[in-house]
Amino acid sequence: MSATDTLPVLVPDWPAPARVRALVTTRAGGVSAKPFDTLNLGDHVDDVPAYVAENRRRVAALLPGEPLWLTQVHGTRVADAAIETSGAQADAAIARQARAVCAIMTADCLPVLLCDRAGTVVGAAHAGWRGLCDGVIEATVTAMGQPGETLLAWLGPAIGPAAFEVGDEVRAAFVARDAAAAAAFKPGAQPGKWWAGIYQLARQRLARLGVHAVYGGELCTVSDHERFFSYRRDGRTGRMASLIWLED
């Protein structure tokens, strides 16, 4: 990870082609007041709209163009960042056109960034447990139109396995789709509760698609209060963005 000079962002550490660029914002460097302090990019969390607009302007200044800001609904629809306009309802985006920026907002859910080794297409998926279970990663890879073996994936900051407690219904939903998913759940402190490894679940799904070059997956939003927003930790909070695009 490294930081830019103008905004404290994270840069994925993965062997992506040179024309593939990506970054993840942190909670620092913006103008929002508590509990959205300070670089909240979500326009749906009751932050002051002018603050969100300024925060988005600061992020856009690091990019080759305005990101495609999605209305995320924990679904599996994939948008084309070069065609659709901000506000489109989707939970993933792809781009084949240079300077079209895919953006995913999170505050515990898993952002998955993808590219092909030739640097011809990129994608970003919002993988909360519902979208991950229902196939948002699969939908994104399908939309990218490249064999899994040719893709790289990077798993961004998300709720870690020591913080993500879920009920029987979540575990059952994953296991119903793939019996191997049981390995990603550890018994919780109470009956009917489980500690879920969202990174492990994502790696399983990627492996089934033939995507074995997977990086990241070591950052926990809940435990790192200084850098990350966390809905599980704070309830009312802001959103970070994970962004990916192709240079000219």
Side-chain angles (χ1 to χ4, degrees):
M1 299 294 180
S2 63
T4 67
D5 293 333
T6 54
L7 210 63
V9 300
L10 308 179
V11 178
D13 183 10
W14 62 335
R19 72 184 300 240
V20 173
R21 303 291 299 277
L23 63 85
V24 181
T25 64
T26 66
R27 66 182 301 162
V31 298
S32 294
K34 293 182 178 180
F36 310 113
D37 47 327
T38 59
L39 193 69
N40 167 47
L41 301 170
D43 62 359
H44 61 293
V45 297
D46 295 325
D47 193 2
V48 177
Y51 293 169
V52 177
E54 171 59 18
N55 291 339
R56 289 185 173 188
R57 186 198 66 77
R58 293 185 182 195
V59 172
L62 304 177
L63 308 170
E66 183 69 20
L68 176 65
W69 297 109
L70 301 173
T71 299
Q72 299 171 189
V73 294
H74 298 277
T76 61
R77 181 175 180 271
V78 183
D80 187 326
I83 297 173
E84 302 203 37
T85 57
S86 286
Q89 185 171 294
D91 283 86
I94 64 161
R96 294 185 179 85
Q97 181 175 313
R99 305 171 71 85
V101 183
C102 304
I104 293 297
M105 287 186 291
T106 59
D108 282 337
C109 292
L110 172 63
V112 181
L113 301 182
L114 296 149
C115 71
D116 69 332
R117 295 180 188 277
T120 66
V121 61
V122 294
H126 166 232
W129 81 259
R130 291 180 184 85
L132 179 58
C133 186
D134 290 343
V136 70
I137 291 178
E138 290 88 340
T140 307
V141 169
T142 297
M144 293 174 72
Q146 300 292 333
E149 294 78 8
T150 69
L151 300 181
L152 307 174
W154 185 78
L155 308 181
I159 187 169
F164 192 24
E165 189 175 41
V166 301
D168 281 331
E169 73 284 358
V170 175
R171 180 181 183 274
F174 278 98
V175 173
R177 293 175 181 267
D178 180 9
F185 294 87
K186 308 300 180 187
Q190 302 293 329
K193 297 293 185 180
W194 302 85
W195 298 109
I198 198 167
Y199 286 129
Q200 186 175 352
L201 290 165
R203 287 190 176 97
Q204 289 176 339
R205 294 298 185 93
L206 288 163
R208 289 175 64 185
L209 294 165
V211 184
H212 299 289
V214 182
Y215 303 86
E218 74 280 358
L219 300 173
C220 176
T221 49
V222 177
S223 62
D224 195 338
H225 179 274
E226 291 299 315
R227 288 195 294 178
F228 304 127
F229 295 115
S230 168
Y231 183 81
R232 178 66 64 104
R233 183 189 63 227
D234 299 328
R236 194 162 178 253
T237 192
R239 298 293 185 271
M240 293 94 64
S242 296
L243 308 112
I244 190 167
W245 67 96
L246 293 169
E247 293 282 9
D248 290 322

